[in-house]
Amino acid sequence: MLDTAKKIGYLGLGILSITRERAEKLVDDLVARGEVAPRDAGKIVDDLVARGEEERKKLDQHIDEHLRRMTGRLGLATDTAVGELQAEVAALKAELAALKERLAALEAGRGDTGQGR
């Protein structure tokens, strides 16, 4: 039994890349050698696949957090910051266009040709 637990533990080292199909094959091999009871096979496969998903999620979270820290250290803009800047630029462009229209209307009202500037 200790040997079987060790094998499952070793399997856990590669858990991030295990698929359900691969887990089923590995557990079927253990069942065929009599190291795992057939009645336990399904639960072991489910546990391995679930553990793999949990580990993948933890790894994804760890990578995301690391990238956020590195982005901050390097002074790189985040998608959120870029989006905010794009919105601000769009607002400033709209304000500038409105001011140009207003200036043009004022100049047209005075008959100003803009030559004296």
Side-chain angles (χ1 to χ4, degrees), residues 55-72:
E55 293 300 319
R56 274 189 285 279
K57 286 178 186 175
K58 286 179 188 177
L59 181 61
D60 285 346
Q61 290 171 348
H62 179 72
I63 289 170
D64 287 347
E65 179 58 32
H66 182 70
L67 288 174
R68 272 193 290 279
R69 283 195 311 266
M70 293 306 297
T71 299

Side-chain angles (χ1 to χ4, degrees), residues 36-105:
V36 170
R39 69 178 180 278
D40 297 332
K43 180 170 178 4
I44 292 172
V45 168
D46 290 343
D47 289 347
L48 288 171
V49 172
R51 184 172 165 204
E53 284 300 314
E54 288 173 22
E55 293 300 319
R56 274 189 285 279
K57 286 178 186 175
K58 286 179 188 177
L59 181 61
D60 285 346
Q61 290 171 348
H62 179 72
I63 289 170
D64 287 347
E65 179 58 32
H66 182 70
L67 288 174
R68 272 193 290 279
R69 283 195 311 266
M70 293 306 297
T71 299
R73 282 186 198 153
L74 295 172
L76 300 175
T78 62
D79 286 343
T80 302
V82 169
E84 290 170 356
L85 288 171
Q86 287 173 331
E88 188 174 340
V89 167
L92 289 170
K93 282 181 176 180
E95 185 177 344
L96 179 60
L99 288 172
K100 283 181 177 180
E101 284 180 22
R102 191 169 159 202
L103 178 60

